[in-house]
Amino acid sequence: MTGNEIRRTFLDFFARHGHRVVRSSSLVPTNDPTLLFTNAGMNQFKDVFLGLEQRDYKRAASVQKCVRAGGKHNDLENVGRTVRHHTFFEMLGNFSFGDYFKREAIAFAWELVTKEWRIPPDRLYATIFKGEEGIPRDTEAYEHWLSQGLPRNRIYEFGSRENFWAMGDTGPCGPSSEIHYDMGPRASEQGHTDCALGCACGRYLEIWNLVFMQFNRDASGGMKPLPKPSIDTGAGLERLAAVLQRKVSNFDTDLLRPLVEFASELSGKPYGDSKETDISLRILADHSRAAAFLVGDGVLPSNEGRGYVLRKIIRRAVRHGRMLGLQRPFLFEMASQVAELMREPYPELLASIARVDAVIKNEEQRYEHTLKLALKKLDDDLENAAKGVPGMRLRRREDGTAEVSEGGPLLLSGQAAFRLYDTYGLSLDLLEDEGSWRGFRVDRAGFDRELEKQRERARASWKGVHKQAASPIYAKLAETFQTEPDFYYSAVARDCRIEAMITKEGLVNEVAPGTEAEVVLDRTPFYAEAGGQVADVGFLYDNAQTLQLAEVRGAYYPVAGLIAHRVLTKETLRTGDRVSAVADSARREHIKRNHTATHLMHAALRNILGTHVKQSGSLVAPDRLRFDFTHFAAPDADELHEIELEVNDEILRNVEVVTDVTTLDDALASGALAFFGDKYPEQNVRVVTIPDSAAAGGFYSKELCGGTHVRRTGDIGVFKIIAEQSVAAGIRRLEAITGVRALGDYQRALGTLRQLASTLRVGEDDLPAAVERLTLASKQIEKQLQALKHKTAHNRLDDLLERAKTVKGVRVISAQVEDIEREAMRQLVDALRQKLGSGVVVLGTTENGKVAIIGGVTKDLTNRLHAGRIVQAVAREVGGAGGGRPDLAEAGGKDTSALERAMETVYGVVHQML
């Protein structure tokens, strides 16, 4: 059974049993600071399990993309060394949200495994929670396994470490039950023929984990039964493929073996040739999948967070490629193979592979030169360290790098490790990985000390605060009602009921005037901040709209389905009051213009720069719009001009902006764009379409969007780009303005243009030429002035030479000079050294409120005197620092009043050196 067939049969099985098949979410978790990457199938249902989100189904099944390569869940260092660890993997899962429980979950799993997939029951084992720490044994699960025909001697009981799951320190938790498969003695790394389940030799493979969420753990550690027990299961696709394809190694399945073989072809190293070669080939197969899917979901290499982990994965792959003899970029080629291999379940990766390849290749090329220098320096450090250790011997590996051959392991000092990190970019992770291959270890404590001294970050850390069964007040409210959004239709809603009010004291029934509070209405015309669009502001009035009750300063979604209004009360508010909610309609219209313009600009960017362009962030405010997008070079002036023209052409067409509400699947099938990291419901998604007049039924722009928009593109008025910049590697940012703001900007610019033309007494069309003439004239005057300053400085030669003093037989000139720039002063020092023939020259001046010092020593004296140390000593007197070569050095300082006194110290410094 192929990997594609396993996915299909799994989803088809649970669809037949009433489960909603849900597509895989992005590898970038949505609104969850506790996770670096999506690492389990339940991640996208987390708010459902916590009671913060309601869905229109109680059973779900999915095949979820997962990455475990950072933070708490990190398998990176084991990848390649074992045949079952992966950074990227797929998790099959079925879920029940308060619907079925243990009996059905166990029955579903057993039926699918033994009847659909026909895995021999006599090779299957189950585990249950044995009970400990005051939590009872899971007798219920035990009995259900027996009822499926599993013998008692193949049901094992373990403690909380193996068979109890918790979402966090508090919150939903419960026992788990696992299905294990006996791979046989051939899978045992120790060659065991008679070991039992629980042995860590590799013979027994966990293929499915059933989690029974039945308790809620409070802050004191107390456990209370959940009112709606739920099911969360996870089965690793790669492991199931190994079982169903009768392979010991996951890397021998059709999910990974083609990538291993492709890496083998690229490197010319056959799989099975040696242990080291096999490990490297497995790493390339695994890391190419992780890199391709992470970039596909919008992650870009960087020095922090997710981007740092991606960079680490790519660089680890590059290093192992070099160990296989690959000296050119290659991982981007493997990413294309990944996309082709995964085209059936993940066609979106194949559609964006050009962008994915470009990102990975760019990172490979950036790292190539750095890696070469870093590994050479590492070899030097290892050789130096080995010299002082009796019996230590090094030898050269096939790739030319040094490894310990005798007397190891060798200790690489923290200072050396930090220098390799700080100067050459060789991360501590990669250093330790190198050490595991080459027989050395890193003095990590010493590295940490050096890191603290320098106050620099060595590695990105992920500091997330655990998401609590958050906002329990709002979660409870969400169980009884949802706020009806009226903001798509009007900026005013009358007779809205105050359902709840929350202050810093918690849920209250009455709020006095002058109080900051959050107010929940049964319906609202206030747009709650989402999707880059800022929230509406306005006021709450009495129903007659004669008395202002509260100022609304914003609105947001505390939990799915509820809108909370941040208010400052003007009058007393009570739960149950009926009010009129009035959003600032003029401000809303500005926002709508900018939001629709964002869609137009996105379409223009894709048309002009390429379809690899995708939104990676946005801000839609009343005064401007900001749009971040994926692209590898700054758009040039012509491209920006073309983008502006195309957007304004669409505005002039004045077509109707169409909004439809449909299912997520239908929206995506129709060609609507969705964005990584955004969370969309399965049902009732809004699709905003700007039709294309050139093709019947076609569209110029079509995006999933929950924001507010103008009725027709002509309502935008005009569109103007005001800024373009880089915000990260491969991410560009455009800022633009529309409507009244754009008109005002045009009027100010025209006014400035006319004022300049009037000042220069030229016509507006002649202004560029006039400014160019002025610029040339200014440069000529500046050049003449510099020449005059240089001449003046050299006219001082004789005067300065006469001021030379002799210190222990050496002629020394130390003087403060005025009205001279640094370059002219440097030339003057050179001229004085030549005139002296043998001696020391130190000159100082003030420029822009700071001190500049230049010192020179003639070549015959550099074995006795050092210009760098001389100017350092002088600079300390003026609160500064400096240094340089023995013959020429520069320094600076802040205290201009101390310069004259500082220059007098030169003679003493020279005397001391001599």
Side-chain angles (χ1 to χ4, degrees):
M1 184 176 284
T2 67
N4 287 338
E5 289 170 342
I6 297 170
R7 290 190 200 91
R8 283 198 301 271
T9 56
F10 177 86
L11 294 176
D12 289 347
F13 175 85
F14 281 103
R16 292 198 306 272
H17 288 85
H19 292 66
R20 172 74 61 82
V21 173
V22 180
R23 69 178 61 248
S24 171
S25 64
S26 168
L27 287 170
V28 180
T30 304
N31 299 325
D32 191 342
T34 70
L35 289 176
L36 195 59
F37 300 111
T38 298
N39 59 28
M42 64 80 61
N43 290 164
Q44 67 169 308
F45 304 113
K46 189 171 180 180
D47 283 350
V48 181
F49 285 124
L50 288 170
L52 304 179
E53 181 184 349
Q54 303 291 325
R55 299 203 181 182
D56 63 351
Y57 51 86
K58 293 185 177 181
R59 300 182 177 194
S62 68
V63 179
Q64 175 64 51
K65 300 176 295 186
C66 299
V67 164
R68 290 184 181 174
K72 178 181 176 182
H73 302 286
N74 188 355
D75 289 338
L76 183 62
E77 303 309 322
N78 291 320
V79 172
R81 301 178 190 278
T82 75
V83 297
R84 291 172 189 161
H85 281 94
H86 304 286
T87 52
F88 173 89
F89 61 97
E90 296 175 83
M91 185 74 80
L92 314 179
N94 60 287
F95 309 90
S96 164
F97 313 119
D99 186 19
Y100 62 81
F101 200 43
K102 296 180 185 180
R103 179 175 61 83
E104 294 89 345
I106 289 172
F108 285 148
W110 190 254
E111 180 183 350
L112 178 57
V113 167
T114 60
K115 293 184 173 57
E116 291 280 332
W117 289 334
R118 298 182 181 180
I119 296 176
D122 60 358
R123 300 187 72 170
L124 294 174
Y125 294 77
T127 66
I128 67 162
F129 179 57
K130 70 178 182 180
E132 62 182 18
E133 299 176 357
I135 305 170
R137 173 180 183 264
D138 194 355
T139 304
E140 186 181 358
Y142 182 82
E143 295 297 330
H144 289 319
W145 283 118
L146 289 177
S147 71
Q148 296 300 322
L150 193 64
R152 295 178 187 274
N153 65 350
R154 291 216 304 277
I155 304 175
Y156 283 68
E157 303 184 19
F158 294 103
S160 56
R161 181 176 178 180
E162 293 84 4
N163 282 99
F164 196 88
W165 180 91
M167 191 175 290
D169 294 334
T170 61
C173 57
S176 67
S177 187
E178 299 165 345
I179 302 175
H180 292 255
Y181 177 77
D182 181 2
M183 302 283 285
R186 67 182 181 134
S188 173
E189 295 172 2
Q190 283 80 43
H192 294 172
T193 58
D194 57 355
C195 60
L197 182 67
C199 179
C201 71
R203 173 173 175 170
Y204 296 93
L205 180 66
E206 176 201 329
I207 59 173
W208 207 336
N209 186 21
L210 316 177
V211 174
F212 310 129
M213 293 189 199
Q214 63 184 95
F215 302 112
N216 185 60
R217 179 184 280 140
D218 60 28
S220 67
M223 308 279 271
K224 294 182 179 178
L226 287 170
K228 295 180 180 179
S230 297
I231 292 294
D232 160 27
T233 82
L237 176 62
E238 290 76 11
R239 293 188 176 193
L240 282 169
V243 171
L244 293 170
Q245 294 172 21
R246 296 180 174 85
K247 306 293 184 183
V248 170
S249 168
N250 293 358
F251 290 90
D252 286 334
T253 68
D254 71 323
L255 297 170
L256 284 152
R257 187 57 185 255
L259 297 174
V260 173
E261 295 295 346
F262 186 73
S264 177
E265 290 173 15
L266 288 176
S267 64
K269 299 292 177 66
Y271 191 50
D273 189 42
S274 71
K275 179 182 177 181
E276 286 191 2
T277 294
D278 289 356
I279 290 174
S280 292
L281 289 171
R282 287 196 291 265
I283 285 172
L284 298 195
D286 173 272
H287 287 15
S288 63
R289 295 207 309 170
F293 276 99
L294 284 171
V295 176
D297 278 358
V299 181
L300 292 170
S302 70
N303 287 326
E304 59 184 11
R306 298 183 180 102
Y308 176 76
V309 176
L310 171 59
R311 173 164 284 169
K312 187 163 63 173
I313 288 170
I314 293 174
R315 292 185 170 187
R316 190 167 188 256
V318 169
R319 175 67 186 114
H320 281 274
R322 284 176 65 95
M323 290 166 66
L324 292 170
L326 288 163
Q327 300 298 323
R328 60 172 179 79
F330 66 90
L331 195 63
F332 75 99
E333 294 182 51
M334 294 199 64
S336 292
Q337 293 296 310
V338 172
E340 186 62 38
L341 192 62
M342 295 287 203
R343 68 184 306 159
E344 180 178 322
Y346 304 106
E348 67 275 10
L349 179 61
L350 191 62
S352 63
I353 195 59
R355 177 180 65 87
V356 172
D357 285 353
V359 171
I360 294 174
K361 186 177 182 180
N362 180 63
E363 181 65 17
E364 287 187 272
Q365 290 172 331
R366 289 182 60 185
Y367 188 45
E368 184 178 359
H369 179 66
T370 301
L371 181 62
K372 191 179 297 182
L373 292 176
L375 293 178
K376 184 179 184 304
K377 181 60 181 171
L378 173 58
D379 287 342
D380 293 341
D381 288 340
L382 292 177
E383 288 173 0
N384 290 333
K387 288 176 182 176
V389 182
M392 183 71 66
R393 297 287 185 274
L394 300 182
R395 67 184 174 198
R396 289 288 169 176
R397 296 164 53 89
E398 185 179 343
D399 63 356
T401 56
E403 69 175 357
V404 176
S405 60
E406 295 179 35
L410 179 64
L411 180 66
L412 182 68
S413 71
Q415 292 91 333
F418 184 78
R419 185 168 57 248
L420 286 164
Y421 160 78
D422 191 39
T423 305
Y424 297 93
L426 204 58
S427 71
L428 183 60
D429 303 293
L430 188 54
L431 266 176
E432 292 180 329
D433 196 36
E434 287 288 311
S436 68
W437 295 104
R438 296 163 62 178
F440 69 86
R441 62 183 181 85
V442 177
D443 176 9
R444 190 154 190 170
F447 178 92
D448 291 339
R449 286 193 298 270
E450 292 299 315
L451 182 64
E452 184 63 27
K453 286 180 191 175
Q454 295 294 326
R455 295 182 180 180
E456 294 178 358
R457 292 164 55 185
R459 296 177 296 164
S461 59
W462 189 259
K463 297 178 181 177
V465 179
H466 180 63
K467 187 174 185 178
Q468 311 198 353
S471 189
I473 294 173
Y474 287 118
K476 190 69 175 175
L477 289 172
E479 293 178 1
T480 58
F481 78 99
Q482 292 191 336
T483 305
E484 181 183 346
D486 279 356
F487 43 75
Y488 293 118
Y489 316 107
S490 174
V492 178
R494 291 179 172 83
D495 202 37
C496 303
R497 185 178 189 275
I498 297 178
E499 296 287 349
M501 295 185 292
I502 294 91
T503 67
K504 60 185 178 181
E505 278 78 33
L507 189 66
V508 296
N509 290 319
E510 183 175 307
V511 177
T515 303
E516 290 184 347
E518 293 187 0
V519 174
V520 179
L521 304 176
D522 62 346
R523 59 193 179 90
T524 181
F526 286 89
Y527 182 84
E529 182 174 356
Q533 180 174 328
V534 299
D536 284 334
V537 299
F539 296 94
L540 299 181
Y541 292 91
D542 65 350
N543 256 342
Q545 293 190 30
T546 57
L547 180 63
Q548 191 180 102
L549 303 177
E551 177 189 355
V552 179
R553 296 177 169 179
Y556 76 105
Y557 291 94
V559 296
L562 284 188
I563 294 176
H565 304 75
R566 296 187 176 97
V567 307
L568 175 64
T569 58
K570 307 291 186 180
E571 302 288 339
T572 300
L573 294 180
R574 298 177 181 84
T575 302
D577 283 354
R578 297 281 178 171
V579 298
S580 286
V582 181
D584 185 334
S585 58
R587 181 176 180 273
R588 165 85 67 80
E589 291 303 314
H590 293 315
I591 293 171
K592 287 162 67 173
R593 283 191 283 270
N594 284 334
H595 203 151
T596 307
T598 301
H599 287 221
L600 291 175
M601 182 170 68
H602 191 189
L605 283 165
R606 289 170 61 85
N607 289 341
I608 293 164
L609 300 182
T611 55
H612 64 277
V613 168
K614 289 186 179 178
Q615 178 178 337
S616 61
S618 68
L619 171 68
V620 180
D623 60 332
R624 73 191 193 285
L625 63 93
R626 188 181 71 214
F627 189 79
D628 296 345
F629 60 97
T630 54
H631 192 53
F632 289 96
D636 60 34
D638 288 342
E639 288 172 328
L640 292 176
H641 182 65
E642 196 174 347
I643 291 164
E644 263 189 7
L645 283 178
E646 184 168 313
V647 172
N648 282 294
D649 283 345
E650 292 301 317
I651 291 171
L652 287 172
R653 286 200 305 114
N654 195 29
V655 297
E656 182 182 3
V657 178
V658 179
T659 301
D660 295 307
V661 179
T662 183
T663 66
L664 179 60
D665 287 340
D666 287 347
L668 295 177
S670 73
L673 291 178
F675 310 112
F676 85 91
D678 283 1
K679 190 173 183 179
Y680 302 103
E682 296 293 318
Q683 306 291 322
N684 299 323
V685 296
R686 297 178 68 84
V687 180
V688 177
T689 304
I690 299 170
D692 185 353
S693 58
F699 56 85
Y700 177 75
S701 166
K702 193 169 194 176
E703 297 186 12
L704 275 67
C705 180
T708 57
H709 290 271
V710 297
R711 289 183 175 85
R712 306 187 74 88
T713 57
D715 297 342
I716 297 170
V718 68
F719 168 87
K720 182 76 180 80
I721 295 172
I722 59 173
E724 191 282 333
Q725 62 181 328
S726 170
V727 291
I731 299 290
R732 309 300 302 182
R733 170 174 292 173
L734 285 178
E735 292 194 34
I737 51 179
T738 65
V740 176
R741 169 81 193 277
L743 176 62
D745 192 69
Y746 162 75
Q747 290 173 330
R748 282 191 298 274
L750 184 59
T752 301
L753 180 71
R754 289 174 174 169
Q755 183 179 358
L756 286 172
S758 175
T759 301
L760 297 177
R761 294 186 175 87
V762 296
E764 292 172 19
D765 292 342
D766 298 326
L767 187 58
V771 171
E772 186 175 356
R773 288 195 299 272
L774 278 176
T775 303
L776 287 173
S778 175
K779 288 180 179 178
Q780 290 174 350
I781 293 171
E782 183 68 25
K783 189 175 181 180
Q784 292 169 358
L785 181 60
Q786 289 299 323
L788 183 61
K789 286 182 177 181
H790 289 183
K791 184 177 180 181
T792 301
H794 283 279
N795 286 339
R796 299 174 182 173
L797 274 174
D798 292 339
D799 178 57
L800 291 170
L801 284 168
E802 289 178 2
R803 294 166 62 179
K805 295 182 181 180
T806 301
V807 178
K808 285 193 173 182
V810 174
R811 297 180 72 193
V812 180
I813 297 174
S814 176
Q816 179 179 350
V817 289
E818 302 296 339
D819 299 323
I820 185 170
E821 293 184 347
R822 189 180 289 262
E823 179 58 33
M825 189 162 68
R826 190 180 294 111
Q827 294 178 10
L828 186 55
V829 168
D830 285 338
L832 286 169
R833 283 195 300 178
Q834 291 176 10
K835 287 283 187 179
L836 282 176
S838 177
V840 176
V841 180
V842 181
L843 301 181
T845 191
T846 57
E847 55 179 6
N848 301 321
K850 294 182 180 179
V851 174
I853 302 166
I854 299 178
V857 176
T858 55
K859 293 289 187 181
D860 62 311
L861 296 173
T862 52
N863 61 336
R864 302 167 63 196
L865 296 168
H866 193 291
R869 290 199 286 270
I870 293 172
V871 298
Q872 279 181 343
V874 178
R876 282 195 291 269
E877 299 295 322
V878 292
R885 305 193 309 265
D887 62 322
L888 187 66
E890 298 186 22
K894 301 176 182 177
D895 188 358
T896 57
S897 65
L899 178 57
E900 184 176 353
R901 183 180 69 251
M903 299 309 296
E904 289 296 324
T905 66
V906 170
Y907 306 108
V909 172
V910 172
H911 184 278
Q912 187 176 2
M913 284 186 177
L914 291 171

